[in-house]
Structures are given as C-alpha cells and as structure tokens.
Amino acid sequence: MTKTKITEFSNLLRVASHYDKNALSTTLCLWVGSGSSSDTLEKNGLAHLLEHTLFGPYSTNNRSDIYSGIINKDIKLSAFTKLDNTCFIIETVNRENLQACIDVLSDIFSGRWLSEQGLIEAKLDIREEINLLLQDEDEILFDALNAICFPEQSYGQPIAGSHKTISKLQIEDLQDFLKQEYIAANTLICMTGNLEHKQLVDCVEKKFSQFPADRKRPLLGPKWRGGITHVNQKDDRTKIAISLAFYAKDLSDYYLFWLASFILAAETNTGLRSVLNLNESVLDNLCIYPEFLSNVGRMNFYLNMQSSNCLAEIDKIRNELSSFTNTKIQNILGQLKQTDIEQFLKIIQLKNSNIEHLAMCLRNYELFPSNATLPCLQSEVKDGLICILGAIYEPDLEAIAYSI
C-alpha cells in the first residue's frame, strides 16, 4: 500500500510524504526554495556558504555544536545547494528518532547553529572545494558557458563563489540571508518511506508552526543572452559545451525534453554521433541533457573528442541542429528501438518515492511526480518531439564555450 499526501500549515509551510509500508527505510528532507540565484553578484557564494555553516561536512573532531548534536542523535545528514534551492536530507529515519530528526532540521532552519567559529570552518571547507573546482577543466569550461548564458547575473556565477567573494562574507550576511530566504512560505518538508503522514505532521507542527508566515520577495528569473567564448586548457582533446535556451510550459514537458535529449544523443546513421564521426567505443564523448530553471530551460551539450579544428566541429553541430525537419525526425525515431526508449524513460521517471523528485515537483510545479504521465511514442508525443527538435536551434540564442 502506498499513499502520497500533503498538508499546509497556517504559516504556509508545506509538509508532504509518500508512505510505502514495504519500504526498507525512511528519508526526510528540508527543501528551501532559495539557492545561489538569490545571491547578489558581490556576495556570490553566500547561499552555499550558509548551507555549509548551518551543516558542513561530518567532522571526526566534532568542531562545533552541530556536529556533536548530530552524532549524539546518530543521524546521517547531507546537504547541497543548487541554483534555485537548498536541501538538507536525513537518512535512516525511524519512528523512534523522527522527532529528533525534525528537531535537527528546525535548528538548521532557524539558524540556531550559526556562529563565527562555524563560519570560519565553513570558509576553510569551501576554499578547498573552490581549489578543486579550479583544477577541473570541465568545470572551468561550464563556468565560462554559464557566464555567457546569464551575464552579470547570479545564475551565471559559480554556486561555490570565488575566493574573493567568500573572503568578504561576514556572519551578518548569513544572518540577513537566512532571515530573508529561510521562511515558512518558501519551504517544504518531505518524507518518503514507511512512516505515515500524520506522524510527520505531528512532529513538524511542534517545531515549525512557530515560524512566521512571511512571504518571500519575488525574484526575477534569469535573462538569457548567449554568445561564444573559449578557454585555454592543457588537454589535447577538443571540448565543446553548448546550451540552447527553451521554454517548458509545465511538468508534462519534462519528459518531452528528456526524450528529445535521448534522440539527439542516440546512435543513428543521421544523428549527431554520425555527423561528428564519434567513436562508439569511447564512453562519455557526447552528453546531452535538459536543465530546468525557474522560467527558462536549456538543452546542454558536452562534447569531448579528438579534433584539430574545433570551430569546424562547432559548425557541424550547428548545421545538424538546424536541419531537423519533420521527415528527418521521423526517420531517426524509426531507427530507435522501442525497448531502448522504454529503458531510458524508466531511468528518468519521476517518482513520489524519490524524495528529491517529490520536493522538486511540489516546489516547481505544485504537483506530485505521479501527476506527470510517463509518455509513450504515440502520435501526440511524436508531434511534441517534432515541435521541440524543429525549434531546438536558434542562432541568436546559442551559447558555446570551447577549449583550445
């Protein structure tokens, strides 16, 4: 037996759960609808720094109250910051420790563990993270791509920030951000597993109903610019990253754009792999995937290949992407195996039982994952794919970063 339910408190905080009596474990998450896109340019990295200061990595030294508090409760906690959200996840939740887990999330949400010492420790962790990112050539390539997609915007800046911006951030900056962004109306608490919804609601109400019903200030979504840039790298292989802007209407478009990415990357005699003469035995030489942001999406392409003329390869990609006629798309679809398509859909399927899927769909679309029907390649879906692929490439909206 499975059930998915949602409850909204008077302060507009929402609590959602997916119950499955046969589940082997239960997972809990605090999902705040604010991420690095809420940073200002001068304070790039603030949202990520706050997440680390509120939580930080496990430390064998129990460096501050939060670490000892978590370890004493035997709670497995992880966290991440993305462009539009910040998430804290607790695994191995059970009936006996559910309230203790909610207490931990409440302490994080309220900023109880914010301290100067915690900030110092978090900055040390993030400086190490930034140093590692600066050594990652793919990361550098995509940072350059993001900067031309969204120039002079937080969407185009690294989530972790830079050494310069992180060094300037003070505890007051974290406190102000927490007060402005970590508010009940902007927050979801989700649970998946073998505990029932009422248990969750009762525990959450004890700690979270006290928070005020402030409304989050509206944020302007990203403004797409595009362009072309290059980065100097030591690698002798050609690397190309491309983003193409698109607009997705609702959750039903989620599967269509993922299917479009599957078709673009498929091994057919008329697709990108054939045009670029990619070696089928080499893994990860072409990766294509959609990314959904607050009011715009983008189809991302990553190409890693051996070539002496990078610009010629870019022109081949442009020509291929602008050549998707109705007939050509039908021809490509005819070359694909139905079993491969079905397997791909199973991989990307949104599930109520996946806690990140549950939180993302409720936050972005006000729907459960199960509200999005898994498509099959009938005429209506084919028409949708033809529409997407036929309009996938607009020269004025392309964003390209390549290594030389």
Side-chain angles (χ1 to χ4, degrees), residues 27-29 89 190-192 352-360:
T27 303
L28 186 67
C29 89
I89 297 178
C190 295
M191 182 176 75
T192 60
N352 292 353
S353 58
N354 182 305
I355 200 157
E356 290 186 43
H357 291 176
L358 182 61
M360 181 274 290

Side-chain angles (χ1 to χ4, degrees), residues 294-357:
S294 59
N295 69 344
V296 67
R298 57 179 181 169
M299 190 69 77
N300 294 319
F301 300 71
Y302 171 73
L303 178 67
N304 183 339
M305 66 185 297
Q306 199 75 45
S307 174
S308 59
N309 192 337
C310 182
L311 294 178
E313 303 299 341
I314 291 174
D315 282 339
K316 289 180 185 178
I317 296 170
R318 285 170 168 156
N319 291 335
E320 176 63 17
L321 292 175
S322 60
S323 69
F324 279 106
T325 62
N326 189 323
T327 301
K328 181 172 181 175
I329 296 169
Q330 293 280 13
N331 179 271
I332 292 175
L333 288 172
Q335 297 179 56
L336 301 177
K337 296 179 180 178
Q338 184 64 30
T339 53
D340 291 342
I341 295 172
E342 291 172 355
Q343 182 62 34
F344 176 74
L345 287 172
K346 286 181 180 178
I347 293 171
I348 65 164
Q349 183 176 7
L350 296 169
K351 299 177 181 178
N352 292 353
S353 58
N354 182 305
I355 200 157
E356 290 186 43
H357 291 176

Side-chain angles (χ1 to χ4, degrees), residues 40-209:
T40 62
L41 292 177
E42 297 76 18
K43 297 179 179 179
N44 173 223
L46 176 56
H48 184 243
L49 178 61
L50 175 61
E51 172 236 304
H52 271 251
T53 309
L54 289 172
F55 159 56
Y58 273 102
S59 170
T60 55
N61 298 324
N62 297 340
R63 296 177 298 183
S64 57
D65 291 342
I66 184 168
Y67 303 115
S68 58
I70 290 171
I71 290 171
N72 290 340
K73 292 182 174 68
D74 194 26
I75 291 172
K76 184 179 179 182
L77 178 62
S78 59
F80 60 79
T81 302
K82 293 187 177 180
L83 285 168
D84 292 324
N85 56 72
T86 304
C87 183
F88 302 86
I89 297 178
I90 298 179
E91 300 177 48
T92 61
V93 180
N94 55 53
R95 191 182 304 274
E96 287 71 33
N97 72 3
L98 176 59
Q99 187 63 63
C101 292
I102 295 296
D103 292 350
V104 168
L105 294 183
S106 175
D107 288 341
I108 289 173
F109 185 74
S110 67
R112 175 186 171 189
W113 283 315
L114 275 181
S115 67
E116 291 283 359
Q117 182 60 32
L119 176 59
I120 291 170
E121 294 163 1
K123 283 188 175 183
L124 289 173
D125 295 330
I126 290 176
R127 288 191 182 106
E128 291 182 10
E129 182 179 340
I130 291 173
N131 286 336
L132 290 174
L133 293 173
L134 291 174
Q135 298 171 34
D136 187 327
E137 293 191 344
D138 287 346
E139 191 73 29
I140 293 170
L141 184 68
F142 272 91
D143 280 348
L145 179 69
N146 293 335
I148 60 173
C149 287
F150 310 111
E152 299 302 313
Q153 301 168 68
S154 294
Y155 278 96
Q157 301 298 310
I159 289 175
S162 66
H163 286 304
K164 180 178 179 180
T165 58
I166 294 301
S167 65
K168 293 180 179 179
L169 294 173
Q170 304 299 318
I171 192 70
E172 292 79 14
D173 297 314
L174 273 65
Q175 291 168 339
D176 290 344
F177 190 92
L178 182 98
K179 183 178 180 180
Q180 178 175 281
E181 304 294 334
Y182 282 53
I183 58 177
N186 198 33
T187 302
L188 277 164
I189 294 177
C190 295
M191 182 176 75
T192 60
N194 54 23
L195 298 181
E196 295 200 7
H197 186 72
K198 187 178 186 305
Q199 295 173 264
L200 175 63
V201 171
D202 290 345
C203 291
V204 171
E205 188 170 19
K206 292 177 184 177
K207 303 297 291 189
F208 280 84
S209 60

